[in-house]
Amino acid sequence: MGTVNIWLKRSYVGLTCFIMITCVIMCGFTLFHHGVMYKEEEIDNSSGASKGVHMFYVFYAASFLFCVFGLFGIFKKKTWALIVFTVGIIICSLASLLVATVLMIGQSMFPHFVEAEYLSMLPLTNATETVTEALDLLQSEFECCGIDQGYRDWMGDIPHSCLCVEDSTNPCVAAPRNSTLYEDGNPVMIYAEPCLPIFLESIDRLIKGTFGLILGIMILWLLSVVLCGVILCQMNRKEETPKVVYSKEAKAGNYSSLTEA
């Protein structure tokens, strides 16, 4: 078995440890948001979103396990463990590539579905209690009012979630006279911008951020696969041993030079 270059080994170990740390951080981040969404009853265990979160858990755990095999193989000089690491990381990279492709397709298609879904709620005067509660949360979080035409979508029955807060970063306007929030002599400020464009922009940023994160992780994985491949080549390389040549002169001994001295 050949000798692995020390700097190559250190680079591989450092990169693999970094990937393991990244998996732990991402798993903790996913667990935190899963707990928040479950606490707020945004998802349940039987929903598609919950199944997607569980798939992320399996994905991170598998990546961490493959990295353990990789470290075991490099320190114990086990080629089979390094091969398991290489194959596993390649599978994870292909799965990430599939997710990235879906995100790229969804970046152009998903906003249209969201827009159609929210526009179907109009007019808001006929909205159900569930829709109203969902819009209240949306308006409070994104500091907006209405869906497409701003506060006009509420036809005067403007909810309190449209009230403008003091430190709002979005523009505000005075509530119209025919609204339920209007008060004589004391102008009530409400959010001026509709929620749909702001929400679609946040979705676009989320998709782009997720795509960039997946791309960065894939680059690290592919780099670790390249390093592991070079290490396997060095380990499988046979070391050349010097040839031993039989010499009669060496056996008999040549002491003439010592006698002459």
Side-chain angles (χ1 to χ4, degrees):
M1 182 175 292
T3 304
V4 179
N5 182 274
I6 184 63
W7 291 109
L8 178 62
K9 179 179 179 180
R10 290 176 179 176
S11 300
Y12 171 77
V13 171
L15 183 59
T16 305
C17 291
F18 180 76
I19 293 175
M20 293 176 68
I21 294 173
T22 303
C23 290
V24 173
I25 294 175
M26 294 302 298
C27 186
F29 183 77
T30 305
L31 181 62
F32 172 76
H33 280 273
H34 187 195
V36 171
M37 289 188 295
Y38 185 79
K39 183 178 180 180
E40 296 179 355
E41 298 182 354
E42 294 183 10
I43 60 173
D44 52 59
N45 292 329
S46 60
S47 64
S50 179
K51 294 178 181 178
V53 171
H54 293 156
M55 288 181 62
F56 274 110
Y57 290 147
V58 175
F59 184 74
Y60 295 137
S63 302
F64 188 89
L65 182 62
F66 289 137
C67 289
V68 172
F69 275 103
L71 293 178
F72 173 79
I74 190 64
F75 285 114
K76 297 297 183 179
K77 296 183 178 181
K78 302 293 184 180
T79 56
W80 65 266
L82 293 175
I83 293 174
V84 170
F85 168 81
T86 303
V87 174
I89 293 299
I90 290 176
I91 293 175
C92 291
S93 300
L94 293 176
S96 300
L97 181 61
L98 178 61
V99 174
T101 304
V102 172
L103 286 176
M104 290 182 62
I105 298 174
Q107 187 176 2
S108 58
M109 298 179 60
F110 187 68
H112 297 289
F113 290 108
V114 175
E115 184 177 5
E117 179 69 21
Y118 274 87
L119 291 178
S120 65
M121 300 177 183
L122 298 174
L124 295 181
T125 52
N126 299 329
T128 62
E129 183 179 354
T130 303
V131 172
T132 303
E133 292 177 355
L135 289 176
D136 284 338
L137 292 175
L138 185 69
Q139 292 172 155
S140 300
E141 182 177 355
F142 291 97
E143 298 183 352
C144 53
C145 187
I147 295 178
D148 186 41
Q149 299 296 327
Y151 63 87
R152 300 177 184 87
D153 292 333
W154 289 103
M155 301 292 185
D157 189 16
I158 304 175
H160 287 80
S161 57
C162 287
L163 290 174
C164 190
V165 295
E166 295 181 358
D167 56 347
S168 174
T169 57
N170 291 338
C172 300
V173 295
R177 289 179 175 272
N178 61 344
S179 67
T180 55
L181 298 178
Y182 179 76
E183 296 180 3
D184 291 330
N186 185 19
V188 178
M189 305 302 292
I190 58 177
Y191 298 119
E193 296 183 355
C195 294
L196 185 58
I198 300 176
F199 185 52
L200 292 178
E201 185 179 355
S202 68
I203 292 176
D204 185 68
R205 288 198 302 266
L206 178 62
I207 293 176
K208 289 180 179 179
T210 306
F211 179 79
L213 179 63
I214 292 175
L215 184 61
I217 294 176
M218 283 181 59
I219 292 175
L220 292 178
W221 280 342
L222 294 177
L223 182 57
S224 66
V225 168
V226 171
L227 293 177
C228 187
V230 176
I231 289 173
L232 285 171
C233 292
Q234 292 188 358
M235 292 178 64
N236 292 328
R237 183 179 57 191
K238 295 182 179 180
E239 294 184 346
E240 296 182 359
T241 55
K243 297 181 180 180
V244 179
V245 181
Y246 175 76
S247 174
K248 293 182 178 180
E249 184 177 329
K251 182 178 179 181
N254 186 9
Y255 301 102
S256 58
S257 57
L258 296 176
T259 305
E260 292 175 357

